[in-house]
Amino acid sequence: LCCCEYVDRRGRRNHLAACCCDCEELDDGCDRWLTCKSLPPGALERIADTIADRLRVPWFSGAVKINVSLVPPLVLLPVFLHVAALHFLLGLIILTSLPVVVLWYYYLTHRRKERTLFFLSLGLFSLGYMYYVFLREVVPRGHVEHSQVVALTCGLILMLAALSRAKKDPGYLPIPAGNEKPSHQGLPNKSVRGSSSGLHGAASSRAVNGEAKGYCRMSAEQPEGVKKDWCTKCQLVRPARAGHCRLCGRCVRRLDHHCVW
């Protein structure tokens, strides 16, 4: 692939120059609109998926896809802030409506169980924008020492490193290798309640520092507890305090909630 080529969602080889044409969903929608026919169910979603798939930038090994949710914060945040700085009433309106818009978008994505990078990009860009304003406006005019600038920069770098590590792996439980779905056949049941295999299975989930080391949370006396700890989507037995995140689509070891930021 050259820098402007990519493989689309249908597995076809495509080019950025052809992004403005050859859209079957959009052509069909325009034809139905001109002939006063109603759009079929899911037509707008298919058009949006095609546009999101073609939103790419040239790169060395082929065009790289850009997540659509990254674009609005990068464009709207500086525009809103500049408009808010023009007048007091404009600033009051924008700074009041902006949290409402963010909460509405959170409700919309949370209800649809969609993964979005909108909040992450909004937080990172806000952080970078404040750091830029601090260096551009505060440092030249205020009494800011070099040690304070260095301390702030180091704190910013450590914060980004911690965020990158948390986003990379918040504690996902490993999926069984080879896509083999473990079954309950190897787990102790009522017929083997007093057998050595049942005791061995209970001992294998021995807690270390208050946290289960294995992925089996059951005892030889209560094998029916396996049912409530069995994740049907990940096909594994969850340890204590673990849960399935519906946004990540994975089981997390010590799940509290999915932080949108």
Side-chain angles (χ1 to χ4, degrees):
L1 296 177
C2 74
C3 63
C4 297
E5 288 181 319
Y6 65 95
V7 178
D8 59 12
R9 61 192 182 99
R10 296 180 177 179
R12 302 174 183 174
R13 195 168 180 172
N14 213 328
H15 201 276
L16 289 181
C19 283
C20 298
C21 59
D22 192 20
C23 181
E24 299 176 2
E25 293 83 0
L26 185 59
D27 293 341
D28 182 68
C30 292
D31 291 340
R32 287 178 172 271
W33 178 68
L34 292 175
T35 56
C36 299
K37 296 180 181 179
S38 60
L39 292 176
L44 295 178
E45 287 78 4
R46 290 193 296 269
I47 295 175
D49 292 339
T50 303
I51 296 176
D53 183 59
R54 294 184 174 186
L55 188 61
R56 299 171 183 263
V57 293
W59 201 245
F60 299 104
S61 58
V64 179
K65 185 178 179 180
I66 301 177
N67 196 309
V68 181
S69 58
L70 290 172
V71 179
L74 302 180
V75 177
L76 296 180
L77 187 62
V79 172
F80 283 163
L81 291 180
H82 281 291
V83 173
L86 297 178
H87 195 269
F88 172 74
L89 293 179
L90 290 176
L92 184 63
I93 294 174
I94 289 179
L95 295 179
T96 304
S97 60
L98 191 60
V100 176
V101 174
V102 171
L103 289 176
W104 170 80
Y105 186 79
Y106 168 73
Y107 171 76
L108 184 65
T109 55
H110 189 74
R111 185 182 64 178
R112 295 183 178 180
K113 302 179 182 180
E114 295 179 352
R115 294 194 65 180
T116 176
L117 297 178
F118 174 83
F119 301 100
L120 179 63
S121 59
L122 179 62
L124 291 178
F125 187 69
S126 302
L127 194 65
Y129 195 76
M130 287 189 294
Y131 183 72
Y132 167 76
V133 171
F134 174 76
L135 295 180
R136 181 71 181 270
E137 302 293 338
V138 179
V139 173
R141 302 177 183 180
H143 301 284
V144 181
E145 300 178 357
H146 294 287
S147 59
Q148 295 174 329
V149 178
V150 172
L152 180 63
T153 304
C154 293
L156 181 63
I157 294 175
L158 291 176
M159 184 186 301
L160 294 178
L163 180 61
S164 175
R165 183 174 179 83
K167 291 293 292 183
K168 185 177 181 181
D169 185 7
Y172 294 129
L173 293 181
I175 298 178
N179 295 329
E180 295 179 357
K181 297 182 179 180
S183 61
H184 296 290
Q185 297 178 357
L187 303 178
N189 49 33
K190 294 182 179 180
S191 61
V192 292
R193 179 172 296 179
S195 63
S196 60
S197 61
L199 297 176
H200 178 72
S204 63
S205 59
R206 190 172 301 166
V208 179
N209 295 329
E211 185 177 352
K213 183 178 181 181
Y215 300 124
C216 293
R217 181 187 161 207
M218 57 191 173
S219 61
E221 291 79 16
Q222 295 179 351
E224 59 272 7
V226 173
K227 294 182 179 180
K228 63 181 181 181
D229 292 334
W230 174 259
C231 180
T232 57
K233 296 182 179 180
C234 296
Q235 296 294 305
L236 53 83
V237 180
R238 296 188 293 254
R241 298 186 63 182
H244 186 85
C245 180
R246 63 176 187 174
L247 297 181
C248 296
R250 295 280 299 275
C251 282
V252 183
R253 182 183 299 274
R254 302 178 69 179
L255 178 65
D256 181 11
H257 68 282
H258 184 105
C259 181
V260 296
W261 300 103

